[in-house]
Amino acid sequence: MSAASDRPPTVAEAGEAAVLEVLSRPGQAGSGDPVGNGDDAAVLGPAAATVVTTDMLVEGTHFRLDLTTWRDIGRRAVAQNVSDVLAMGADCSRVLVALAVPGRTTMDQIGELAEGIHGEAARSGAVVVGGDLTSATLIVVGVTAMGTLPDGARPLRIDGAAPGDRVALTGAPGRSAAGLALLLAGHHDGTLQQAHRVPELPIGSGKAARLAGASALTDVSDGLLRDLSGMARASGVAVDLVVEALPVDPRLGEAAAALGLRDSEAQIVDWILDGGEDHGLLGTFPPGTTVPPGFTVIGTIREGDPGAVFLDGRPRTPGGWDSAHGAN
Amino acid sequence: MSAASDRPPTVAEAGEAAVLEVLSRPGQAGSGDPVGNGDDAAVLGPAAATVVTTDMLVEGTHFRLDLTTWRDIGRRAVAQNVSDVLAMGADCSRVLVALAVPGRTTMDQIGELAEGIHGEAARSGAVVVGGDLTSATLIVVGVTAMGTLPDGARPLRIDGAAPGDRVALTGAPGRSAAGLALLLAGHHDGTLQQAHRVPELPIGSGKAARLAGASALTDVSDGLLRDLSGMARASGVAVDLVVEALPVDPRLGEAAAALGLRDSEAQIVDWILDGGEDHGLLGTFPPGTTVPPGFTVIGTIREGDPGAVFLDGRPRTPGGWDSAHGAN
């Protein structure tokens, strides 16, 4: 096959090697690893402890091509994995990509995707060290993100929260959910819409939480209440949240108004408590520790039914996202 | 949602936590890692060098549910990644899984898939340390496989072959391709068909090649000629293959007969030279080294056009599999 001269070649025309060349960017600033791109596997240098996580972004489930761009798909796929590395108290240093796309995908689109992947990796301080390509009837971007912890550093687990700890959060929750609602209503441009397309990661905040002595840390991917409840359940504790203390992006109110919602107050609270994919970091800080900059204290851990969350003293069941349901 | 009592619950009914419980098997024999399953990311212990690779298996591209089983999908997804770790001269020690399935998938099917994943990981000496679930309209199994190299060990790159080296291969190539041909013709049972469903990995052979002093190593995933040519191109050398020396599984002849092929000899040679997905290890061994057990010497490296492969002195262009084409 050969490409017609008046349009960019497709992936099927260009072939695997050309796609991997674009995806992996052999010329990128080196990671210093013994083996980077282009071999059967990457080989990373010595580490006292390695943090590793993997996750994929699926067309139709996580994104629609009419509501986002190839660049932002690449950014988001990397960001959601980097977020899990941050949530262990580490910084992300390496990213591997496994990509499935239809053969009709153009090399221009692959180039945009690669720009998003490499840009977001660089923003996180990471290098892309591996890539793999396959064909499929829909787009799937699988990412593996890795980081390291120095000798003796304690990873921040999800099950370390204890009564008396303060609960604190980075960023303002609900932005991604409100952005999606705006996108689905046909409002394509805006800060919240972009927050849905690509979460803004609190780079450095996971490590800061570890150095500050946090007792537990997780990232908010399925919704604030759902992930907080999961952390409390794993730790065998309950949580008191103070509604007044929750950070509220004023754009949520503007979004509710733009959408002409009847009960906009209730919708805003739902976005904040149950909206997923903001990828803020949610941590617990024992008495005597200093909550690092970027975190807002929103409540306290106490003894009680494991996983129970109370809003101003009233129990509330998490809504949010269950990955087993999704689009099917 | 709740399940009807007369059928197994679906993934959508059981929910993400239940699926991850089955996929991750928190009770499995421990890896000794600081953090295994159930947190944002896994944390692995100290290593001098870490080998890491990722790859996915996509329904419709790599497998069809009417030609394989959920157990074998899990085994194959793990095996094809473990193979890339072996090809760096390491053993595989950790496996992470990112799974996308339709919500109608039953928990029985997830159980079978998990059995395949854990069984194949255990066969390779590896432990499953992470899992992720998402919903999709088709099945995608993304696997990340990791291994370690001891202090001072040299990873076996693809670009180290030099003139005078012997070329050697584990296993008998063409089995997977012949098995697929039989499956597509309606012959569902047999050794070759099973070799297509799940490659038989030469566990330990990558490490043996490294200890023996191999100069280069790769796994045969896209076809013997294609991967050999790639290795030669990366190394800047040419290859002389001796057709008589190629290991031939006698079942290939039986398969050609069962398929009633007119030119069965030519088909057998095609399967051997261009059939992919056997995942044998292909290595080069400098003069003075001893080729380890399990490897068959099939040719020699010489100076020449980088990537050129000669069969009994005649040039031959690789066919085989290009991942950018596939099923679309």
Side-chain angles (χ1 to χ4, degrees):
Chain A
M1 283 180 281
S2 67
S5 59
D6 57 344
R7 59 169 179 78
T10 66
V11 162
E13 289 161 350
E16 183 180 15
V19 177
L20 291 182
E21 181 88 8
V22 174
L23 258 193
S24 301
R25 290 199 188 168
Q28 67 179 333
S31 59
D33 290 323
V35 181
N37 275 304
D39 218 306
D40 297 287
V43 182
L44 316 183
T50 299
V51 179
V52 58
T53 185
T54 186
D55 201 349
M56 48 196 176
L57 213 55
V58 180
E59 183 181 7
T61 303
H62 298 107
F63 66 87
R64 284 167 40 179
L65 275 177
D66 59 331
L67 299 183
T68 188
T69 64
W70 284 84
R71 185 177 288 102
D72 284 344
I73 293 168
R75 288 192 58 192
R76 182 170 163 199
V78 170
Q80 70 178 16
N81 279 281
V82 169
S83 181
D84 281 327
V85 174
L86 302 183
M88 300 309 291
D91 289 330
C92 182
S93 59
R94 311 286 197 294
V95 166
L96 288 88
V97 179
L99 175 65
V101 290
R104 65 177 179 276
T105 306
T106 68
M107 289 302 287
D108 283 3
Q109 291 168 328
I110 296 292
E112 277 182 46
L113 180 79
E115 239 185 80
I117 287 169
H118 285 261
E120 190 66 23
R123 194 169 288 113
S124 306
V127 174
V128 179
V129 295
D132 183 74
L133 174 72
T134 192
S135 85
T137 53
L138 45 71
I139 305 163
V140 184
V141 189
V143 170
T144 299
M146 304 175 73
T148 57
L149 286 169
D151 202 15
R154 193 176 44 84
L156 291 182
R157 307 188 56 138
I158 202 168
D159 60 359
D165 291 356
R166 286 150 297 165
V167 177
L169 175 75
T170 68
R175 290 158 51 95
S176 175
L180 177 59
L182 288 167
L183 280 167
L184 292 176
H187 304 277
H188 279 218
D189 295 317
T191 305
L192 297 178
Q193 292 90 320
Q194 192 54 24
H196 172 73
R197 292 191 191 102
V198 184
E200 286 164 39
L201 298 188
I203 303 297
S205 288
K207 184 177 172 184
R210 173 170 57 80
L211 295 175
S215 50
L217 193 70
T218 192
D219 83 314
V220 178
S221 52
D222 297 333
L224 174 58
L225 279 195
R226 194 179 185 93
D227 289 318
L228 182 55
S229 175
M231 174 185 263
R233 196 178 319 111
S235 304
V237 297
V239 188
D240 278 321
L241 280 192
V242 180
V243 174
E244 190 65 25
L246 289 168
V248 181
D249 187 321
R251 293 183 192 88
L252 298 190
E254 297 165 19
L259 292 167
L261 295 170
R262 283 201 195 171
D263 190 351
S264 61
E265 275 306 309
Q267 179 60 74
I268 292 171
V269 171
D270 276 355
W271 281 333
I272 292 174
L273 297 177
D274 292 329
E277 303 185 321
D278 286 305
H279 293 284
L281 290 173
L282 180 67
T284 54
F285 295 85
T289 60
T290 301
V291 175
F295 283 86
T296 306
V297 175
I298 60 173
T300 50
I301 298 292
R302 65 168 170 83
E303 290 183 8
D305 266 356
V309 180
F310 298 84
L311 263 77
D312 292 341
R314 284 188 300 276
R316 165 120 181 188
T317 307
W321 173 264
D322 186 306
S323 295
H325 303 158
N328 286 284
Chain B
M1 281 183 283
S2 68
S5 59
D6 56 346
R7 59 171 180 78
T10 66
V11 163
E13 289 162 349
E16 183 179 16
V19 177
L20 290 182
E21 180 88 10
V22 174
L23 258 193
S24 301
R25 290 199 189 168
Q28 69 180 330
S31 59
D33 289 322
V35 180
N37 276 303
D39 218 307
D40 297 286
V43 181
L44 316 183
T50 300
V51 180
V52 58
T53 185
T54 186
D55 201 350
M56 47 195 177
L57 213 55
V58 179
E59 183 180 6
T61 304
H62 299 106
F63 65 87
R64 285 167 39 180
L65 274 178
D66 58 330
L67 299 183
T68 187
T69 64
W70 283 85
R71 184 178 288 101
D72 283 344
I73 293 168
R75 288 191 57 192
R76 181 169 163 201
V78 170
Q80 70 178 17
N81 279 281
V82 169
S83 181
D84 281 327
V85 174
L86 302 183
M88 300 309 290
D91 289 330
C92 182
S93 59
R94 312 286 198 294
V95 166
L96 287 87
V97 180
L99 175 66
V101 290
R104 65 176 178 276
T105 307
T106 69
M107 289 302 286
D108 283 4
Q109 292 167 328
I110 296 291
E112 277 182 46
L113 181 78
E115 238 184 81
I117 287 168
H118 285 261
E120 190 65 22
R123 193 169 289 113
S124 306
V127 174
V128 180
V129 295
D132 183 73
L133 175 71
T134 192
S135 86
T137 52
L138 45 70
I139 305 163
V140 183
V141 189
V143 169
T144 299
M146 304 175 73
T148 56
L149 286 168
D151 202 14
R154 192 176 44 84
L156 292 182
R157 305 187 58 138
I158 201 168
D159 60 358
D165 292 355
R166 287 150 295 165
V167 177
L169 176 75
T170 69
R175 292 158 48 95
S176 176
L180 177 59
L182 287 168
L183 280 167
L184 293 175
H187 304 277
H188 279 218
D189 296 317
T191 304
L192 297 178
Q193 293 91 320
Q194 192 55 24
H196 172 72
R197 291 190 191 103
V198 184
E200 285 163 40
L201 298 188
I203 303 299
S205 288
K207 184 178 172 184
R210 175 170 57 79
L211 295 175
S215 50
L217 194 69
T218 191
D219 84 314
V220 179
S221 52
D222 297 334
L224 174 57
L225 279 195
R226 193 179 185 93
D227 289 317
L228 182 55
S229 174
M231 175 185 263
R233 196 179 318 112
S235 304
V237 296
V239 189
D240 278 322
L241 279 193
V242 180
V243 174
E244 190 64 28
L246 288 168
V248 181
D249 187 320
R251 293 184 192 89
L252 299 190
E254 299 165 18
L259 292 167
L261 294 171
R262 281 198 195 174
D263 190 352
S264 62
E265 275 307 309
Q267 178 60 74
I268 291 170
V269 171
D270 277 353
W271 280 334
I272 290 174
L273 296 178
D274 292 328
E277 303 187 321
D278 285 306
H279 294 283
L281 288 174
L282 180 67
T284 54
F285 296 85
T289 59
T290 302
V291 175
F295 284 86
T296 306
V297 175
I298 59 174
T300 51
I301 298 291
R302 65 168 170 84
E303 289 183 8
D305 266 356
V309 180
F310 298 83
L311 262 76
D312 291 340
R314 284 188 299 278
R316 164 119 182 188
T317 306
W321 173 264
D322 187 304
S323 296
H325 304 157
N328 285 283

